[in-house]
Every structure is written in C-alpha cells, then in structure tokens.
Amino acid sequence: ALLTGAPVLGATFYCDPKAGSPQGDGSAAKPWRTVEEVLAAKLVRLADAQGKVANPDAPVKPGDTLLLRSGWQGVIRIAAGFNAQAVAVAAEEGHAPQVGWIEVGEGCNWTFRGLTVSTSLAPTPPDRPPKNLVTLGERGGEASSNLVVESCFLFSEADTSRWSAKDWIEKPVSGILLGRHGRGHIARNNYVLNTRFGINLCAAECVAEGNVVENFSSDGIRVTRSGQTVRQNVIKNIFVSAADGDDNHDDGIQAFPFNNMKEPVCDVTI
C-alpha cells in the first residue's frame, strides 16, 4: 500500500556527438547524436498550453531526463512545450556538452543543467546569433512556469582581453533572459561571463540566485516585475561607460517597472 503512492521515476536517454547516431535508440549503449537532432526529429513529446500533444509517440516524455555527453550538441530551440512533470536536459556526470544557445518560447517544467552555452563554440558562426544565450518564456501566453537554467557556463567569447571599448558595446550577446510571459522562472548557480547584460528578470516571481555575472558592459542583473527574488549573486567588472560612447545607464543591479512604466514593481527581495 505504501509503494502504490511512490513517485514513478522517469526514463533516461543519452546524446553523444562522438559515438552517437540519429539511428540510435537513446540508450546509454546506443545514444542519439545531438540534442538539436533529437528535437528536430520530434523525439521529445511536446504539448501546448491546453495539453494537446503534437507527437504522442515520442520516446522522451514528461518526467524523463536527457543526458548530454561532451562535444558540440547544436542549439536547443523549443517553441512550445508544456510538461506535467519536469523534463531535464543536463550534462551527464563527467561530461561537458556544448550548445550554441537555449530558447523555450513558452512552456512549463523544463530544466537545463550543467551545459556550456556560447555561440562562439559553433563549428560555423550562426547567420543570426541570438540576443541572449538563454531565453525562457519570452513568447506565448501567461501559462509558462518553472523554466529553469542552473549550473550552466555561459559566455559570448572566452577571451576578451583584446576587446576595445567599441567591441564591448557591439560584440557581446547577453546572458540569461527570464522572459516576459508566465511566472516563476529560475536562474540558479550559473556562471555568466563576458556579456552585454548579465541576467534579465522579466516575468513575475522569477528568481536569480547563486549566479556569478563577471565582465559585462550594460547591467549585471535587471529586476523588472513584482515578486522577484535576487539573492546570493556575485556581480563584478563593468566595462565601458558614456565616455566610451555607450548610452546605456550601467548598474550592477537595476530595478525599474516593466511594460513602459505602466505596471508597478512590488514585493521584490534583493
């Protein structure tokens, strides 16, 4: 009787850019190749906000984990995906998977953990690099929730020692955008290096905790909606100012009302 109430553990699947194959079954012995190919092949079940599933036969379901092994994994782009249980896309222990960027337009219960994220790592430069290395909940309606990025390493470029002031204004992309729609998105224990903006909190009740934002040229963290929490972060090393031709008002942490100043910001904890 006690066991009947125990949670059911989800399945685990694998992606290995070196030893995997698109014809694999996702097992540890026969992994798929990259997470980008897995998403393109619709091997992850995706439902809309009303619960309608676009690909019900997909092997990766809510509650499952997709472990990524070392190497280039492509980009993670999910237009919409609402999960009843969390789906984790994470580095396998001892591995360092690389992705160009992460974007979930709308959805709930996604966790991205332990990934190295940078467009500079791509085998060929993208035609249209993103404005942010991680974007969660920037599109769609207000049903998005519990979109989490944690323990990831994000950077525009690893070495900026030769960047001029002009480079710091024009070259870096921004780090994490907890987007405007939904609520409760989380950026936790990430290292955000060499970016324009570090972390933008744009939906209500978002949390940024335990992050390091190092080397940036605009704002370290932006707080813009009610109920947000920013705690135990390290923010350091601002580059360029108005004297260098940058008209952004630079701050370590800046709080201001979102939505063209029409919505007050209340109950914020820093």
Side-chain angles (χ1 to χ4, degrees):
L2 292 174
L3 290 175
T4 58
V8 178
L9 297 178
T12 300
F13 299 89
Y14 298 83
C15 291
D16 189 330
K18 299 176 183 177
S21 167
Q23 287 72 48
D25 59 12
S27 65
K30 296 181 180 179
W32 294 310
R33 188 162 54 189
T34 69
V35 65
E36 182 173 11
E37 291 177 344
V38 165
L39 291 169
K42 299 182 179 180
L43 299 177
V44 180
R45 184 181 295 186
L46 297 175
D48 62 17
Q50 288 71 46
K52 183 178 180 181
V53 180
N55 50 342
D57 296 328
V60 183
K61 302 174 177 64
D64 291 348
T65 297
L66 187 58
L67 292 181
L68 310 186
R69 293 173 177 167
S70 296
W72 175 251
Q73 293 276 353
V75 300
I76 298 174
R77 286 177 287 195
I78 300 167
F82 292 83
N83 302 310
Q85 296 173 280
V87 173
V89 181
E92 184 178 3
E93 186 175 356
H95 286 261
Q98 302 171 346
V99 298
W101 65 88
I102 299 169
E103 180 177 357
V104 178
E106 59 175 330
C108 63
N109 294 327
W110 291 94
T111 297
F112 303 95
R113 181 187 307 116
L115 311 179
T116 298
V117 187
S118 179
T119 55
S120 70
L121 299 171
T124 57
D127 294 333
R128 292 185 178 181
K131 292 183 178 180
N132 300 276
L133 294 169
V134 175
T135 301
L136 305 176
E138 177 63 0
R139 303 183 184 279
E142 297 306 309
S144 294
S145 64
N146 196 34
L147 302 177
V148 181
V149 54
E150 61 184 8
S151 301
C152 290
F153 177 31
L154 303 83
F155 57 91
S156 294
E157 293 184 17
D159 182 7
T160 57
S161 59
R162 296 187 178 182
W163 276 13
S164 65
K166 188 172 184 287
D167 290 334
W168 271 106
I169 297 170
E170 297 179 354
K171 285 187 175 182
V173 296
S174 294
I176 298 171
L177 176 68
L178 302 180
R180 295 174 290 177
H181 299 289
R183 62 184 56 246
H185 313 318
I186 299 172
R188 177 190 294 124
N189 297 339
N190 301 287
Y191 180 21
V192 182
L193 179 69
N194 298 338
T195 57
R196 182 68 168 149
F197 292 92
I199 303 174
N200 279 300
L201 285 71
C202 299
E205 300 172 16
C206 285
V207 176
E209 60 183 1
N211 303 284
V212 174
V213 176
E214 181 175 359
N215 300 353
F216 59 100
S217 61
S218 285
D219 298 325
I221 295 179
R222 279 181 157 185
V223 177
T224 67
R225 296 287 285 278
S226 294
Q228 294 179 344
T229 300
V230 176
R231 60 189 172 206
Q232 298 180 341
N233 301 282
V234 174
I235 305 167
K236 62 182 182 178
N237 301 347
I238 173 71
F239 288 79
V240 306
S241 66
D244 301 299
D246 185 8
D247 58 3
N248 182 75
H249 183 279
D250 300 332
D251 298 280
I253 298 176
Q254 180 178 180
F256 62 95
F258 183 74
N259 196 22
N260 297 322
M261 305 296 183
K262 296 178 182 178
E263 181 180 328
V265 176
C266 309
D267 303 317
V268 165
T269 300
I270 298 177

